[in-house]
Amino acid sequence: MSADTAIFQRVAIIGLGLIGGSLAAAITRNGLAATVVATDSRADELKLGLAQGIIQHSAASVAEAVAGSDLVVMAVPVRATREVLAAVAPHLEAGAVLTDVGSTKGSFVRDVEAVFGHLPAHVIPGHPIAGSEKSGVAAANPDLFADHKVILTPAKVTDPRSLERLKALWGGCGATVLTMSPEYHDEVLAATSHLPHLIAFSLVDTLAGEDENLDIFRYAAGGFRDFTRIAASDPVMWHDIFLSNREAVLRIIDHFTRDLDQLRTAIDQQDGARLLRVFTRARAAREHFSKMLSGQAYVTNHQQQQMTFRLQPGGQIQGDIRVPGDKSISHRSIMLGALADGVTEVTGFLEGEDSLATLQAFRDMGVTIEGPDQGYVRIHGVGMQGLQAPRGPLYLGNSGTAMRLFSGLLAAQSFDSELTGDESLSRRPMGRVADPLRAMGAVIDTAEGGRPPLKIRGGNALTGIHYEMPVASAQVKSCLLLAGLYAEGVTSVTEPAPTRDHTERMLTGFGYHVHRDGATVSVSGGGRLTGGNIDVPADISSAAFFLVAASIAQGSDLTLRHVGMNPTRVGVINILRDMGADIEVLEQREIGGEPVADLRVRAADLQGIDIPEDQVPLAIDEFPVLFIAAACANGRTVLRGAEELRVKESDRIQVMADGLAAVGVHTTVTADGIIIDGGQPMTGGTVDSHGDHRIAMSFAVASLRATGEITVNDCANVATSFPGFVELARSTGIRIKADGGTE
Ligand code: S3P
């Protein structure tokens, strides 16, 4: 036994069954204590433990085991706790840590208080979430806790050093230690462990009681076996658990019974829509159930992940590709589809984190959504008044569009809601939507400086207003139009410059009248939407990376298919053409109210230009990659009137300037833009994308003209708008590799 790994001198295990034996085995094997002693009323178990070498001593009584030990672990059946505690207490050394491994924590605390008269500072209840249907020390396994969770429920009075030692012991067994209150532990376990065991026991018992039980079991396939595996667990132990966690278990049984009854009614009444809603929501929840446990929406949080792009210099772009669906249109297809009457079928939907956050938020509000499956989504609209209160905050990840559009929609609902996001979204300004919504009668709280989270009070009647937007923002315009669908009278918005009009087009497509008069667009509240089909074009903002890539890399020739060419989005093509790019627009057509075309782009000698200010809102998301084009052009490019870039997913002016500097290109940053002198040699270097998807992809494009390797850090958020970017970029000739995964 190695003295430097030992956390305790002498560990006493009271009860050498599966859990006590496995803990003894893990402590012994990993040298976590100098000595392990055990006691058990079953002499055979002790003998076996000694023979297996998992304990060093067997004690004839609890008193003998406890005396001289600095850690005592109670691994006895829950119902025996109080009696055994009474035997432990008189022999416990001063300062010795006492813990247990029982499945219910409230009952353990009550037993301790009954025996000691209070909860002592060195008593720390514990529960390893690990087990097996087998029992007894013969099944002891030193790896039983590896990669499993152990919950400790310390109290205010708990001695911090004892807690640290106990955590270190479990950590040394390979477990991840969590701490929480005993009450919370019991609620969570009632739902996630106790109820499933009850149902498994009950189901097998029900089927065994049916007349044809032999046949039923004979034909029972994998599903039955998987579902009822836990009905093979120890009946005595489980009977203890249910009786000692009575209140929490009763609450969750009542909830489950109500839900089961509703499914029964749905089947009885042939209510397929309800069944589908419950099943699709459950399937999505199953996929993300760890998130669900923490009470958040189910979207994966990419902040947990680290991804690095490594780019070898040079290359040429060739191919015939289709980039993923338009992000703005994908968000809106879910929103309007959910609020419509009838079914909406979407093809070409962007399966990126941002639009998936919107999709999940509607599921959280009771909307049945099938898919996404390779861009196909089927939304069962609930009508304008059909949304239900979500069970917790709606987590919108990185998506500013989702948060701003939702704020308009939710301000008009009858229920309260809360919108949260990741670190980047939590820094972005929301006052621009909260202020005009308040003028309509909405009640919205923001964090300091108008930042998320947004707490929206339901049940407030909205009244239409006229709003002169101070900034050209399609998100603000769309937010107010969505609120306007519910408001009394007319809601009108005047924009200082044209911004993307997907909301207006899609509303019209869903049969809602939208009035446009010059720069002012308006809706009257109280109408309805009718579901239909939406074909989402490829996102011109994603195509932009390849338009620039093929333009700057000598010998390139690339075709991009089915690209959305809405006139409010084509700034990138106008600007690149002004710079001398060779872009052919082919097969122009209109699909579902949106213009679409194929684009053929070939390498060209680009020239620096003064970017016309009226193009800024029409190319607002494409500037990061346009800065790369400018750096590769001859002469100076000047951008003005683009201060909005500073409040995107990152401060795109500063972050791009810093990134360009890291690869040897010096620029001049101004308050509302940048000056880039093209033609400076571009070296390799390390760029920090600040978690901004478009910055990361822009420097992937830059590598085509660099002379050394470029490393781009913090690239996981590329999945927000462009899933599959790395593979697609590589297929066209960008020498990209992505490193990393979950931290
Ligand atoms: C979007 C509008 C733009 C754009 C964003 C998507 C939309 O934001 O940058 O990526 O879908 O309405 P602003 O309205 O803030 O300019």
Side-chain angles (χ1 to χ4, degrees), residues 501-658:
D501 62 359
H502 305 300
T503 305
E504 297 92 300
R505 285 174 188 254
M506 204 181 287
L507 279 172
T508 308
F510 275 58
Y512 207 104
H513 180 66
V514 179
H515 184 70
R516 179 166 276 279
D517 181 6
T520 302
V521 53
S522 56
V523 292
S524 299
R528 304 202 68 82
L529 299 166
T530 308
N533 295 344
I534 297 173
D535 177 6
V536 182
D539 198 328
I540 189 168
S541 298
S542 298
F545 298 104
F546 292 96
L547 292 176
V548 172
S551 297
I552 62 172
Q554 236 186 17
S556 297
D557 184 350
L558 179 79
T559 301
L560 291 149
R561 299 283 175 194
H562 209 75
V563 180
M565 292 287 285
N566 182 310
T568 59
R569 296 286 298 280
V570 292
V572 62
I573 295 180
N574 300 338
I575 293 168
L576 282 174
R577 278 182 164 166
D578 275 1
M579 296 175 79
D582 177 0
I583 301 173
E584 262 184 276
V585 179
L586 307 166
E587 306 282 339
Q588 295 194 54
R589 53 213 186 261
E590 187 164 309
I591 290 180
E594 291 279 352
V596 171
D598 297 340
L599 302 177
R600 181 169 181 195
V601 50
R602 279 171 277 202
D605 280 334
L606 300 182
Q607 306 297 323
I609 59 165
D610 267 14
I611 297 176
E613 276 193 45
D614 63 355
Q615 294 299 311
V616 170
L618 312 185
I620 191 71
D621 291 337
E622 289 69 69
F623 283 108
V625 77
L626 283 170
F627 293 177
I628 302 297
C632 298
N634 299 313
R636 174 169 282 195
T637 294
V638 182
L639 173 69
R640 296 183 196 85
E643 52 274 83
E644 270 298 286
L645 293 180
R646 293 198 180 270
V647 290
K648 293 293 178 189
E649 285 84 328
S650 68
D651 174 348
R652 285 183 174 161
I653 294 175
Q654 193 58 52
V655 171
M656 279 305 294
D658 293 345

Side-chain angles (χ1 to χ4, degrees), residues 114 124 267 622 642 657 731:
I124 306 168
I267 295 168
E622 289 69 69
S731 80

Side-chain angles (χ1 to χ4, degrees), residues 184-252:
Y184 190 66
H185 167 276
D186 287 355
E187 290 288 337
V188 169
L189 269 289
T192 56
S193 167
H194 306 171
L195 181 67
H197 277 83
L198 189 83
I199 296 170
F201 283 129
S202 169
L203 177 67
V204 177
D205 186 54
T206 303
L207 296 196
E210 296 265 328
D211 284 350
E212 326 73 26
N213 66 65
L214 275 182
D215 262 357
I216 286 179
F217 289 128
R218 186 170 301 129
Y219 297 127
F224 177 81
R225 226 185 2 256
D226 290 349
F227 188 84
T228 58
R229 179 179 59 81
I230 50 182
S233 305
D234 179 0
V236 177
M237 181 179 108
W238 280 97
H239 124 286
D240 283 0
I241 290 174
F242 287 112
L243 296 182
S244 56
N245 196 20
R246 188 164 158 270
E247 278 75 31
V249 167
L250 287 180
R251 259 193 301 281
I252 191 72

